[in-house]
Amino acid sequence: THARRQATPRRNGCPREREDHRHEGLIATALADDIRTAIAAAAAGRKPSLDTTFNKPGDEWFAYGLRAPALFAALKPFRDRIRALPLNERLTLAARLLATHIGEAGHAGIYVLKLSAHDLGPAHFPAIDRMLDDFRGWSHVDDFCIDVAQPLLAAHPVETLALLDRWTRSPNRWKRRASVIAFVRKAGES
């Protein structure tokens, strides 16, 4: 056992694996805070409020009211930082952003998933399934389906079809919507 202990790299008296595990998610948390701050700054002092302009009453859609170009301008500086994260950190980041239940932060979480779409596979479906529980509107579903579900369907058809089939029977209306919208093409494609 003495040889095993010496072979395990140590820092601050702890095995490195344990230390790395302890810090897992801290980078994603800090980046999520930075992204939320950038979104709030783009809102120029507006606070998130209930928006029924494009959503039905009861949809729980709280948002700053940013238009898509302003949101993506706020997200653009983070692209390289997001892509540099290991996949597990990107999934943590996406989940943290979606869990805020603020429309634009949810879209930022979907943006993280979009940047990760080609790295995702069936092993990540449980995490993705949990993230859809934090969707708050049709626009989250539509963005997710076009940018994440469709690439997954192309890369892993059997497994993705099984996931979508489970979502058809979900009590969560956004999962049920995703089970259909995943098969809809982008406007202008034929």
PDB file of all heavy atoms in Angstrom, residues 12 18 37-38 45 56 67 69-70 84 86-87 95 97-98 104 120 125 138 142 144-145 176-177 179:
ATOM      1  N   ASN A  12      -1.516  19.249  -1.580  1.00  0.00           N
ATOM      2  CA  ASN A  12      -2.098  19.669  -0.303  1.00  0.00           C
ATOM      3  C   ASN A  12      -2.514  18.478   0.553  1.00  0.00           C
ATOM      4  O   ASN A  12      -3.502  18.541   1.267  1.00  0.00           O
ATOM      5  CB  ASN A  12      -3.315  20.578  -0.534  1.00  0.00           C
ATOM      6  CG  ASN A  12      -2.964  21.820  -1.294  1.00  0.00           C
ATOM      7  OD1 ASN A  12      -1.845  22.319  -1.173  1.00  0.00           O
ATOM      8  ND2 ASN A  12      -3.884  22.317  -2.081  1.00  0.00           N
ATOM      9  N   ARG A  18      -9.180  12.849  -5.781  1.00  0.00           N
ATOM     10  CA  ARG A  18     -10.186  13.321  -4.841  1.00  0.00           C
ATOM     11  C   ARG A  18     -10.294  14.842  -4.929  1.00  0.00           C
ATOM     12  O   ARG A  18     -11.371  15.404  -4.935  1.00  0.00           O
ATOM     13  CB  ARG A  18      -9.833  12.886  -3.422  1.00  0.00           C
ATOM     14  CG  ARG A  18     -10.879  13.332  -2.417  1.00  0.00           C
ATOM     15  CD  ARG A  18     -10.589  12.802  -1.048  1.00  0.00           C
ATOM     16  NE  ARG A  18     -10.959  11.400  -1.028  1.00  0.00           N
ATOM     17  CZ  ARG A  18     -10.501  10.519  -0.147  1.00  0.00           C
ATOM     18  NH1 ARG A  18      -9.641  10.879   0.755  1.00  0.00           N
ATOM     19  NH2 ARG A  18     -10.890   9.272  -0.193  1.00  0.00           N
ATOM     20  N   THR A  37     -24.377  37.210 -15.633  1.00  0.00           N
ATOM     21  CA  THR A  37     -24.036  38.626 -15.478  1.00  0.00           C
ATOM     22  C   THR A  37     -24.040  39.334 -16.823  1.00  0.00           C
ATOM     23  O   THR A  37     -24.541  40.459 -16.944  1.00  0.00           O
ATOM     24  CB  THR A  37     -22.660  38.770 -14.783  1.00  0.00           C
ATOM     25  OG1 THR A  37     -22.742  38.177 -13.481  1.00  0.00           O
ATOM     26  CG2 THR A  37     -22.241  40.223 -14.656  1.00  0.00           C
ATOM     27  N   ALA A  38     -23.499  38.691 -17.856  1.00  0.00           N
ATOM     28  CA  ALA A  38     -23.478  39.284 -19.198  1.00  0.00           C
ATOM     29  C   ALA A  38     -24.898  39.449 -19.749  1.00  0.00           C
ATOM     30  O   ALA A  38     -25.203  40.463 -20.393  1.00  0.00           O
ATOM     31  CB  ALA A  38     -22.635  38.427 -20.141  1.00  0.00           C
ATOM     32  N   GLY A  45     -30.450  46.985 -17.200  1.00  0.00           N
ATOM     33  CA  GLY A  45     -31.233  47.379 -16.029  1.00  0.00           C
ATOM     34  C   GLY A  45     -32.613  46.777 -15.921  1.00  0.00           C
ATOM     35  O   GLY A  45     -33.243  46.874 -14.866  1.00  0.00           O
ATOM     36  N   LYS A  56     -48.271  31.434 -23.347  1.00  0.00           N
ATOM     37  CA  LYS A  56     -49.595  31.369 -22.737  1.00  0.00           C
ATOM     38  C   LYS A  56     -49.484  31.706 -21.256  1.00  0.00           C
ATOM     39  O   LYS A  56     -48.472  31.405 -20.616  1.00  0.00           O
ATOM     40  CB  LYS A  56     -50.171  29.959 -22.886  1.00  0.00           C
ATOM     41  CG  LYS A  56     -50.433  29.561 -24.311  1.00  0.00           C
ATOM     42  CD  LYS A  56     -50.927  28.132 -24.368  1.00  0.00           C
ATOM     43  CE  LYS A  56     -51.089  27.686 -25.807  1.00  0.00           C
ATOM     44  NZ  LYS A  56     -51.453  26.281 -25.904  1.00  0.00           N
ATOM     45  N   ARG A  67     -33.921  40.435 -27.315  1.00  0.00           N
ATOM     46  CA  ARG A  67     -34.096  39.864 -28.642  1.00  0.00           C
ATOM     47  C   ARG A  67     -32.931  38.921 -28.901  1.00  0.00           C
ATOM     48  O   ARG A  67     -31.849  39.058 -28.314  1.00  0.00           O
ATOM     49  CB  ARG A  67     -34.130  40.962 -29.704  1.00  0.00           C
ATOM     50  CG  ARG A  67     -35.237  41.961 -29.490  1.00  0.00           C
ATOM     51  CD  ARG A  67     -36.431  41.538 -30.298  1.00  0.00           C
ATOM     52  NE  ARG A  67     -37.487  42.536 -30.187  1.00  0.00           N
ATOM     53  CZ  ARG A  67     -38.741  42.212 -30.048  1.00  0.00           C
ATOM     54  NH1 ARG A  67     -39.094  40.964 -29.997  1.00  0.00           N
ATOM     55  NH2 ARG A  67     -39.655  43.142 -29.966  1.00  0.00           N
ATOM     56  N   PRO A  69     -30.659  38.584 -31.305  1.00  0.00           N
ATOM     57  CA  PRO A  69     -29.329  39.132 -31.628  1.00  0.00           C
ATOM     58  C   PRO A  69     -28.592  39.679 -30.396  1.00  0.00           C
ATOM     59  O   PRO A  69     -27.379  39.509 -30.271  1.00  0.00           O
ATOM     60  CB  PRO A  69     -29.625  40.244 -32.640  1.00  0.00           C
ATOM     61  CG  PRO A  69     -30.926  39.850 -33.262  1.00  0.00           C
ATOM     62  CD  PRO A  69     -31.704  39.181 -32.150  1.00  0.00           C
ATOM     63  N   ALA A  70     -29.317  40.323 -29.492  1.00  0.00           N
ATOM     64  CA  ALA A  70     -28.685  40.857 -28.273  1.00  0.00           C
ATOM     65  C   ALA A  70     -28.222  39.724 -27.365  1.00  0.00           C
ATOM     66  O   ALA A  70     -27.132  39.799 -26.772  1.00  0.00           O
ATOM     67  CB  ALA A  70     -29.660  41.773 -27.533  1.00  0.00           C
ATOM     68  N   ALA A  84     -13.704  25.023 -24.423  1.00  0.00           N
ATOM     69  CA  ALA A  84     -12.493  24.529 -23.761  1.00  0.00           C
ATOM     70  C   ALA A  84     -12.803  23.634 -22.559  1.00  0.00           C
ATOM     71  O   ALA A  84     -11.929  22.903 -22.100  1.00  0.00           O
ATOM     72  CB  ALA A  84     -11.617  25.706 -23.318  1.00  0.00           C
ATOM     73  N   PRO A  86     -14.157  20.501 -20.381  1.00  0.00           N
ATOM     74  CA  PRO A  86     -14.446  19.081 -20.623  1.00  0.00           C
ATOM     75  C   PRO A  86     -15.968  18.892 -20.724  1.00  0.00           C
ATOM     76  O   PRO A  86     -16.740  19.697 -20.189  1.00  0.00           O
ATOM     77  CB  PRO A  86     -13.901  18.370 -19.384  1.00  0.00           C
ATOM     78  CG  PRO A  86     -13.170  19.379 -18.592  1.00  0.00           C
ATOM     79  CD  PRO A  86     -13.515  20.738 -19.105  1.00  0.00           C
ATOM     80  N   LEU A  87     -16.388  17.855 -21.400  1.00  0.00           N
ATOM     81  CA  LEU A  87     -17.813  17.637 -21.641  1.00  0.00           C
ATOM     82  C   LEU A  87     -18.624  17.610 -20.350  1.00  0.00           C
ATOM     83  O   LEU A  87     -19.705  18.204 -20.283  1.00  0.00           O
ATOM     84  CB  LEU A  87     -18.036  16.350 -22.441  1.00  0.00           C
ATOM     85  CG  LEU A  87     -19.484  16.024 -22.792  1.00  0.00           C
ATOM     86  CD1 LEU A  87     -20.143  17.165 -23.573  1.00  0.00           C
ATOM     87  CD2 LEU A  87     -19.562  14.731 -23.570  1.00  0.00           C
ATOM     88  N   ALA A  95     -26.859  22.680 -17.404  1.00  0.00           N
ATOM     89  CA  ALA A  95     -27.868  22.398 -16.385  1.00  0.00           C
ATOM     90  C   ALA A  95     -28.036  23.574 -15.427  1.00  0.00           C
ATOM     91  O   ALA A  95     -29.160  23.932 -15.054  1.00  0.00           O
ATOM     92  CB  ALA A  95     -27.495  21.131 -15.614  1.00  0.00           C
ATOM     93  N   LEU A  97     -27.447  26.756 -16.015  1.00  0.00           N
ATOM     94  CA  LEU A  97     -28.098  27.869 -16.698  1.00  0.00           C
ATOM     95  C   LEU A  97     -29.596  27.608 -16.859  1.00  0.00           C
ATOM     96  O   LEU A  97     -30.418  28.499 -16.612  1.00  0.00           O
ATOM     97  CB  LEU A  97     -27.435  28.111 -18.057  1.00  0.00           C
ATOM     98  CG  LEU A  97     -26.025  28.709 -17.981  1.00  0.00           C
ATOM     99  CD1 LEU A  97     -25.311  28.582 -19.322  1.00  0.00           C
ATOM    100  CD2 LEU A  97     -26.066  30.156 -17.523  1.00  0.00           C
ATOM    101  N   LEU A  98     -29.959  26.397 -17.240  1.00  0.00           N
ATOM    102  CA  LEU A  98     -31.378  26.073 -17.388  1.00  0.00           C
ATOM    103  C   LEU A  98     -32.115  26.130 -16.048  1.00  0.00           C
ATOM    104  O   LEU A  98     -33.274  26.540 -15.995  1.00  0.00           O
ATOM    105  CB  LEU A  98     -31.539  24.688 -18.019  1.00  0.00           C
ATOM    106  CG  LEU A  98     -31.333  24.664 -19.530  1.00  0.00           C
ATOM    107  CD1 LEU A  98     -30.961  23.272 -20.009  1.00  0.00           C
ATOM    108  CD2 LEU A  98     -32.580  25.171 -20.238  1.00  0.00           C
ATOM    109  N   GLU A 104     -33.654  33.689 -21.061  1.00  0.00           N
ATOM    110  CA  GLU A 104     -32.383  33.877 -21.764  1.00  0.00           C
ATOM    111  C   GLU A 104     -31.284  32.972 -21.203  1.00  0.00           C
ATOM    112  O   GLU A 104     -30.454  32.472 -21.969  1.00  0.00           O
ATOM    113  CB  GLU A 104     -31.945  35.349 -21.697  1.00  0.00           C
ATOM    114  CG  GLU A 104     -32.848  36.288 -22.461  1.00  0.00           C
ATOM    115  CD  GLU A 104     -34.022  36.828 -21.655  1.00  0.00           C
ATOM    116  OE1 GLU A 104     -34.247  36.359 -20.517  1.00  0.00           O
ATOM    117  OE2 GLU A 104     -34.715  37.721 -22.157  1.00  0.00           O
ATOM    118  N   LEU A 120     -22.009  14.520 -27.674  1.00  0.00           N
ATOM    119  CA  LEU A 120     -23.036  13.857 -26.868  1.00  0.00           C
ATOM    120  C   LEU A 120     -23.423  12.517 -27.477  1.00  0.00           C
ATOM    121  O   LEU A 120     -23.374  12.336 -28.689  1.00  0.00           O
ATOM    122  CB  LEU A 120     -24.270  14.743 -26.765  1.00  0.00           C
ATOM    123  CG  LEU A 120     -24.081  16.083 -26.067  1.00  0.00           C
ATOM    124  CD1 LEU A 120     -25.334  16.937 -26.215  1.00  0.00           C
ATOM    125  CD2 LEU A 120     -23.730  15.893 -24.609  1.00  0.00           C
ATOM    126  N   PHE A 125     -27.919  10.870 -22.225  1.00  0.00           N
ATOM    127  CA  PHE A 125     -29.365  11.061 -22.281  1.00  0.00           C
ATOM    128  C   PHE A 125     -30.005  11.262 -20.913  1.00  0.00           C
ATOM    129  O   PHE A 125     -30.935  12.068 -20.794  1.00  0.00           O
ATOM    130  CB  PHE A 125     -30.033   9.913 -23.034  1.00  0.00           C
ATOM    131  CG  PHE A 125     -29.799   9.945 -24.532  1.00  0.00           C
ATOM    132  CD1 PHE A 125     -29.032  10.933 -25.137  1.00  0.00           C
ATOM    133  CD2 PHE A 125     -30.351   8.974 -25.333  1.00  0.00           C
ATOM    134  CE1 PHE A 125     -28.825  10.954 -26.511  1.00  0.00           C
ATOM    135  CE2 PHE A 125     -30.158   8.982 -26.711  1.00  0.00           C
ATOM    136  CZ  PHE A 125     -29.396   9.980 -27.300  1.00  0.00           C
ATOM    137  N   TRP A 138     -41.892  27.117 -25.281  1.00  0.00           N
ATOM    138  CA  TRP A 138     -41.777  26.477 -26.598  1.00  0.00           C
ATOM    139  C   TRP A 138     -40.478  26.840 -27.287  1.00  0.00           C
ATOM    140  O   TRP A 138     -39.929  26.029 -28.033  1.00  0.00           O
ATOM    141  CB  TRP A 138     -42.986  26.827 -27.460  1.00  0.00           C
ATOM    142  CG  TRP A 138     -43.149  28.300 -27.700  1.00  0.00           C
ATOM    143  CD1 TRP A 138     -43.896  29.174 -26.967  1.00  0.00           C
ATOM    144  CD2 TRP A 138     -42.536  29.061 -28.728  1.00  0.00           C
ATOM    145  NE1 TRP A 138     -43.772  30.439 -27.473  1.00  0.00           N
ATOM    146  CE2 TRP A 138     -42.941  30.402 -28.569  1.00  0.00           C
ATOM    147  CE3 TRP A 138     -41.671  28.755 -29.778  1.00  0.00           C
ATOM    148  CZ2 TRP A 138     -42.520  31.424 -29.397  1.00  0.00           C
ATOM    149  CZ3 TRP A 138     -41.249  29.777 -30.614  1.00  0.00           C
ATOM    150  CH2 TRP A 138     -41.669  31.095 -30.421  1.00  0.00           C
ATOM    151  N   ASP A 142     -37.893  24.320 -29.162  1.00  0.00           N
ATOM    152  CA  ASP A 142     -37.579  24.449 -30.588  1.00  0.00           C
ATOM    153  C   ASP A 142     -36.069  24.567 -30.808  1.00  0.00           C
ATOM    154  O   ASP A 142     -35.516  23.898 -31.684  1.00  0.00           O
ATOM    155  CB  ASP A 142     -38.321  25.634 -31.195  1.00  0.00           C
ATOM    156  CG  ASP A 142     -39.829  25.424 -31.207  1.00  0.00           C
ATOM    157  OD1 ASP A 142     -40.292  24.349 -30.765  1.00  0.00           O
ATOM    158  OD2 ASP A 142     -40.544  26.329 -31.649  1.00  0.00           O
ATOM    159  N   PHE A 144     -33.654  23.594 -28.792  1.00  0.00           N
ATOM    160  CA  PHE A 144     -33.043  22.325 -28.415  1.00  0.00           C
ATOM    161  C   PHE A 144     -33.210  21.288 -29.524  1.00  0.00           C
ATOM    162  O   PHE A 144     -32.266  20.585 -29.881  1.00  0.00           O
ATOM    163  CB  PHE A 144     -33.658  21.805 -27.111  1.00  0.00           C
ATOM    164  CG  PHE A 144     -33.294  20.389 -26.796  1.00  0.00           C
ATOM    165  CD1 PHE A 144     -32.080  20.080 -26.216  1.00  0.00           C
ATOM    166  CD2 PHE A 144     -34.161  19.350 -27.105  1.00  0.00           C
ATOM    167  CE1 PHE A 144     -31.728  18.765 -25.944  1.00  0.00           C
ATOM    168  CE2 PHE A 144     -33.822  18.040 -26.836  1.00  0.00           C
ATOM    169  CZ  PHE A 144     -32.609  17.749 -26.252  1.00  0.00           C
ATOM    170  N   CYS A 145     -34.401  21.191 -30.064  1.00  0.00           N
ATOM    171  CA  CYS A 145     -34.665  20.155 -31.072  1.00  0.00           C
ATOM    172  C   CYS A 145     -33.850  20.373 -32.338  1.00  0.00           C
ATOM    173  O   CYS A 145     -33.285  19.424 -32.882  1.00  0.00           O
ATOM    174  CB  CYS A 145     -36.155  20.093 -31.387  1.00  0.00           C
ATOM    175  SG  CYS A 145     -37.090  19.318 -30.052  1.00  0.00           S
ATOM    176  N   ARG A 176     -42.968  16.239 -24.234  1.00  0.00           N
ATOM    177  CA  ARG A 176     -43.910  15.763 -25.267  1.00  0.00           C
ATOM    178  C   ARG A 176     -43.758  16.594 -26.546  1.00  0.00           C
ATOM    179  O   ARG A 176     -43.751  16.046 -27.646  1.00  0.00           O
ATOM    180  CB  ARG A 176     -45.356  15.820 -24.755  1.00  0.00           C
ATOM    181  CG  ARG A 176     -45.673  14.802 -23.677  1.00  0.00           C
ATOM    182  CD  ARG A 176     -47.161  14.690 -23.395  1.00  0.00           C
ATOM    183  NE  ARG A 176     -47.835  15.937 -23.174  1.00  0.00           N
ATOM    184  CZ  ARG A 176     -47.984  16.535 -21.991  1.00  0.00           C
ATOM    185  NH1 ARG A 176     -47.458  15.975 -20.906  1.00  0.00           N
ATOM    186  NH2 ARG A 176     -48.646  17.663 -21.895  1.00  0.00           N
ATOM    187  N   ARG A 177     -43.611  17.902 -26.400  1.00  0.00           N
ATOM    188  CA  ARG A 177     -43.421  18.757 -27.581  1.00  0.00           C
ATOM    189  C   ARG A 177     -42.122  18.385 -28.287  1.00  0.00           C
ATOM    190  O   ARG A 177     -42.080  18.274 -29.512  1.00  0.00           O
ATOM    191  CB  ARG A 177     -43.420  20.227 -27.180  1.00  0.00           C
ATOM    192  CG  ARG A 177     -43.200  21.161 -28.356  1.00  0.00           C
ATOM    193  CD  ARG A 177     -43.220  22.632 -27.915  1.00  0.00           C
ATOM    194  NE  ARG A 177     -42.878  23.507 -29.024  1.00  0.00           N
ATOM    195  CZ  ARG A 177     -43.738  24.025 -29.879  1.00  0.00           C
ATOM    196  NH1 ARG A 177     -45.032  23.749 -29.779  1.00  0.00           N
ATOM    197  NH2 ARG A 177     -43.327  24.810 -30.861  1.00  0.00           N
ATOM    198  N   SER A 179     -40.678  15.591 -28.411  1.00  0.00           N
ATOM    199  CA  SER A 179     -40.788  14.294 -29.089  1.00  0.00           C
ATOM    200  C   SER A 179     -41.343  14.434 -30.506  1.00  0.00           C
ATOM    201  O   SER A 179     -41.143  13.551 -31.335  1.00  0.00           O
ATOM    202  CB  SER A 179     -41.656  13.328 -28.268  1.00  0.00           C
ATOM    203  OG  SER A 179     -43.022  13.691 -28.329  1.00  0.00           O
TER     204      SER A 179
END
